[in-house]
Amino acid sequence: MLHTGKGAFPTLSDILEKASEGVYDVENFIENRPGFFLLTNVAQKVKKTGGKYYTCTIRDSKVFQSANVWKWPENERPTAGMVAFADYTYNKFGISLKIRKLYSLNELSSHIENAENIFLPVSHDIERLKEMLIELINKVENPHLKELLEATISPEKGEIMGFFRAPAATRNHHVRIGGLLEHSVRVAELCLAAVNTLNCTLNTDLLITGALLHDVGKALTYDHENFSFDFTDAGLLEEHIVLGIKVLTKVIDKIEGFPANLERDLFHIVTSHHGLKEWGSPVVPRTLEAIIIHNCDRLEAQVDAFEELAHSVPEGSRWSDYSGMLGTKVFISEPNDDI
């Protein structure tokens, strides 16, 4: 049986830990053994000489890194959601792979015990997040908004079951099983904390509902069934804001007497939550609820992006890979820097 861990085939976490010792451009530098890597964000590229190669993000359950793939099995190609058994090198330019064999995660589970736990990034304590979601839904007093939440994302009877497993993005933040649930709950909690701190007057029921549902279309936008965390066809064709409005419209049409002004204000939150038109918003936030949700949404996502980057930096290094979301590399300080 194939296996991972100490004295066996390494994963990305093992490689980043060993890379802190300054071992560069040495193939398979952990006991001369190839490693296992979950592939995401796979894209085919063309070399200056005309040949093909692939760029990707490689992951295990704890960390991620950008990588280039220079060789792969004949008649196969690297695909998001597959696990690559590959030779690897690490240097200042990143990680390079030469793939020996590609496995589906289900196939690999018959060879490696607890394969999903080793390779799949999963949000911490999804059951507790569901409990927090129920608590937030129960805070909503407006009967129409509460019925909408219960019909869409309630753990007991919600129609959008992908809400509990989908990632919140294909890269940058919450790229993990349960990422959408975690992001949505944390945004809602952050919004309530902001209102309490700022002592502002608004529609709290609409704020909670908008925070929980602002990204609901992502349940249909990103693949989580095949563990690729890639765009679905619908996600590429329509994107999550349009998909969210379509899903919510169908449910609202079934709720008797749903007020038109409430639907309008909720849809404004969904359509404006990216903030600026150049960031993908059809409109900019124009209500207090929408302004707060946009800013809490962005803050929560940026903090998660920073934390994911920080966890994926080799020990002893101070700078992360470049983050498209943050527009920079980030600096990782040591806990005792200010002592």
Side-chain angles (χ1 to χ4, degrees):
M1 174 179 283
L2 303 174
H3 59 292
T4 62
K6 189 173 182 180
F9 297 108
T11 63
L12 181 59
S13 292
D14 303 317
I15 290 166
L16 293 182
E17 181 180 351
K18 187 70 173 180
S20 65
E21 299 178 11
V23 181
Y24 293 108
D25 286 322
V26 177
E27 188 170 79
N28 299 344
F29 54 78
I30 299 181
E31 299 183 1
N32 199 32
R33 292 175 178 266
F36 284 98
F37 311 92
L38 177 67
L39 305 180
T40 60
N41 309 121
V42 178
Q44 182 178 300
K45 303 288 185 177
V46 178
K47 302 177 187 177
K48 291 181 180 179
T49 57
K52 292 189 301 184
Y53 73 103
Y54 289 87
T55 61
C56 62
T57 303
I58 54 176
R59 300 178 179 273
D60 61 22
S61 63
K62 299 176 182 177
V63 296
F64 71 96
Q65 281 279 303
S66 299
N68 291 325
V69 178
W70 302 109
K71 292 181 66 176
W72 52 91
E74 189 175 356
N75 299 323
E76 293 187 80
R77 65 181 183 87
T79 304
M82 301 292 284
V83 177
F85 182 55
D87 301 309
Y88 56 88
T89 55
Y90 178 93
N91 59 33
K92 63 180 180 180
F93 300 108
I95 294 177
S96 295
L97 301 181
K98 297 176 183 176
I99 297 176
R100 297 187 181 192
K101 185 172 176 58
L102 289 163
Y103 296 89
S104 70
L105 195 53
N106 289 333
E107 180 185 8
L108 198 61
S109 296
S110 64
H111 298 287
I112 297 179
E113 189 175 357
N114 297 320
E116 287 197 9
N117 294 336
I118 294 169
F119 296 109
L120 267 188
V122 179
S123 288
H124 178 68
D125 201 350
I126 289 179
E127 292 307 312
R128 174 55 188 150
L129 288 168
K130 288 181 179 180
E131 292 173 2
M132 294 172 68
L133 174 61
I134 293 171
E135 291 168 7
L136 285 163
I137 292 174
N138 286 338
K139 288 181 180 180
V140 175
E141 297 180 358
N142 181 281
H144 298 100
L145 292 177
K146 189 164 188 174
E147 185 175 352
L148 175 62
L149 288 167
E150 289 178 341
T152 52
I153 61 171
S154 165
E156 293 96 343
K157 55 184 178 181
E159 297 178 8
I160 309 173
M161 297 312 298
F163 184 82
F164 304 106
R165 287 188 59 81
T170 63
R171 61 177 79 234
N172 294 325
H173 73 96
H174 298 92
V175 187
R176 49 187 177 265
I177 298 295
L180 175 57
L181 169 65
E182 180 180 2
H183 172 61
S184 303
V185 167
R186 289 175 66 177
V187 170
E189 295 282 5
L190 193 56
C191 285
L192 291 175
V195 168
N196 183 58
T197 300
L198 298 172
N199 193 29
C200 48
T201 302
L202 44 60
N203 186 331
T204 304
D205 287 351
L206 179 63
L207 183 77
I208 294 171
T209 304
L212 291 175
L213 295 176
H214 76 281
D215 271 342
V216 70
K218 289 183 175 181
L220 306 173
T221 301
Y222 306 127
D223 169 58
H224 54 90
E225 297 294 338
N226 298 311
F227 313 119
S228 72
F229 304 121
D230 212 343
F231 281 94
T232 62
D233 291 342
L236 283 172
L237 290 169
E238 300 181 86
E239 245 290 346
H240 75 283
I241 289 177
V242 173
L243 291 171
I245 293 295
K246 288 174 68 175
V247 166
L248 294 176
T249 298
K250 289 180 180 178
V251 178
I252 287 173
D253 285 347
K254 299 176 185 177
I255 299 175
E256 185 176 353
F258 199 101
N261 64 323
L262 203 55
E263 178 179 345
R264 176 201 64 200
D265 293 348
L266 176 61
F267 284 4
H268 175 66
I269 289 170
V270 176
T271 54
S272 69
H273 75 267
H274 276 196
L276 300 177
K277 291 184 179 181
E278 54 265 41
W279 291 346
S281 272
V283 295
V284 299
R286 290 170 175 153
T287 65
L288 186 53
E289 293 85 1
I291 289 169
I292 291 173
I293 288 170
H294 158 62
N295 284 282
C296 290
D297 173 39
R298 186 161 178 79
L299 174 61
E300 198 281 333
Q302 286 187 320
V303 170
D304 189 80
F306 184 96
E307 290 179 337
E308 285 199 4
L309 286 166
H311 292 153
S312 298
V313 171
E315 186 177 347
S317 177
R318 291 300 190 96
W319 289 96
S320 73
D321 279 351
Y322 179 85
S323 166
M325 178 174 199
L326 299 176
T328 182
K329 297 181 177 183
V330 300
F331 180 71
I332 313 301
S333 59
E334 295 291 339
N336 60 354
D337 274 354
D338 297 326
I339 297 177

